[in-house]
Amino acid sequence: GSSLLAKLTNLLVADALRLAGMEDLGASTVLPLATGMTVTMALLALKAKRPPSARYVLWPRIDQKTCAKAVLSAGLLLKV
């Protein structure tokens, strides 16, 4: 059941990327991530491209603990 759904999802994503003009990407894999982990992964990617002195995340509002946990998990400091 779930492996069939995962295979179908991967094929749909590969097709969507091909339609978007990305022809030679190879195999694709969709990973199930919740909001907090997704924000953490995005922050870690940004952190890798910034100088080490860039360690603050400015967040305009904090209405969920998930956002704060994601910033702290990425090893950054939160400014609300």
Side-chain angles (χ1 to χ4, degrees), residues 5-44:
L5 188 58
K7 184 165 179 74
L8 177 62
T9 302
N10 289 336
L11 289 171
L12 287 171
V13 167
D15 190 48
L17 292 172
R18 231 180 339 276
L19 287 173
M22 300 177 206
E23 296 291 329
D24 298 324
L25 288 179
S28 64
T29 302
V30 178
L31 301 175
L33 293 176
T35 304
M37 185 55 77
T38 303
V39 172
T40 301
M41 298 296 280
L43 288 172
L44 285 171

Side-chain angles (χ1 to χ4, degrees), residues 1 3 7 12 14-15 17 19 28 32-33 35 40 44 46-47 50 52 56 58-59 61-63 72:
S3 60
K7 184 165 179 74
L12 287 171
D15 190 48
L17 292 172
L19 287 173
S28 64
L33 293 176
T35 304
T40 301
L44 285 171
L46 290 170
K47 181 180 174 182
R50 305 285 298 160
Y56 292 99
L58 301 177
W59 206 271
R61 57 182 255 197
I62 193 85
D63 54 354
L72 297 176

Side-chain angles (χ1 to χ4, degrees), residues 54-72:
R55 55 181 199 238
Y56 292 99
V57 174
L58 301 177
W59 206 271
R61 57 182 255 197
I62 193 85
D63 54 354
Q64 295 181 351
K65 289 182 183 178
T66 302
C67 303
K69 290 177 185 178
V71 171
L72 297 176

